[in-house]
């Protein structure tokens, strides 16, 4: 199994930059991230889908299952790599059941317990997204939900994949990998921080200094 990294953003520049690093294989968005971009939702989703050679999650905003299903069908027509994000609730489960029968990929979001995630997986979700950072914020151990959910899904051979979401810092990514999350979706800032280490910066400077000293000798 390979840990996949998705980028958690709706910003085209961030997606373009992260894709050029060769490390991300999908994108997740949510209504808050899309709202920040101040662009037409469907046009933006289409642009992201054309750039990303992997799943792109776009969220419905309806709260009734029949409306979620209509929204999901429309989103899925934008591009073949659209994954429809559905909020975890009874209406959401109903929608996931229908959509999975239609072959539309879903990502059940706002999951805060292993039971919620289990229900989403049983209903036919393609992805289930426990929110690690928001659980940590209220004094719970967010990664425990990811770990429990991975165990449940693996024990019973359910086809859903677990996305560790609401990732706030690089250690969350390591912890997600330790508990065998299938995917971690990370904001661009976290991805940037994952590239850095002060000893790398010091090492680069020292190598170049040493190199320049010798070159100076030969140049004289
Ligand atoms: O897509 C869900 C995730 O991005 C939420 O993150 O930081 O708003 O809790 P956050």
């Amino acid at each position: 199994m390979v840990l996949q990294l998705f980028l958690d953003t709706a910003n085209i520049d961030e997606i373009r930059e992260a894709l050029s690093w060769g490390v991300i294989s999908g994108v997740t968005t949510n209504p808050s991230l899309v709202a920040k971009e101040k662009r037409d939702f469907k046009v933006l989703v289409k642009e992201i889908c054309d750039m990303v050679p992997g799943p792109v999650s776009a969220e419905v905003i309806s709260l009734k299952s029949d409306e979620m299903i209509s929204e999901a069908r429309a989103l899925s027509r934008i591009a073949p790599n659209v994954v429809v994000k559905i909020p975890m609730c009874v209406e959401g489960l109903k929608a996931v059941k229908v959509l999975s029968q239609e072959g539309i990929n879903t990502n059940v979001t706002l999951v805060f317990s292993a039971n919620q995630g289990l229900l989403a997986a049983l209903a036919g979700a393609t992805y289930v997204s426990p929110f690690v950072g928001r659980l940590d914020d209220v004094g719970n151990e967010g990664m425990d939900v990811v770990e429990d959910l991975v165990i449940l899904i693996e024990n019973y051979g359910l086809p859903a994949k677990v996305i560790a979401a609401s990732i706030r810092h690089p250690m969350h990514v390591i912890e997600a990998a330790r508990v065998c999350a299938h995917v971690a979706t990370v904001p661009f800032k976290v991805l940037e921080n994952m590239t850095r280490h002060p000893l790398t910066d010091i090492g680069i400077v020292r190598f170049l200094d040493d190199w320049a000293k010798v070159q100076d000798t030969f140049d004289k």
Side-chain angles (χ1 to χ4, degrees), residues 193 195-209:
N193 286 337
T195 68
R196 296 193 181 117
H197 195 287
L199 291 177
T200 306
D201 300 338
I202 292 167
I204 288 173
V205 170
R206 191 175 299 161
F207 282 154
L208 293 181
D209 284 351

Side-chain angles (χ1 to χ4, degrees), residues 8 30 85 131 134 165-166 168:
D8 195 30
N30 63 40
K85 242 179 167 182
F131 274 31
R134 292 193 196 184
S166 187
R168 300 283 172 74

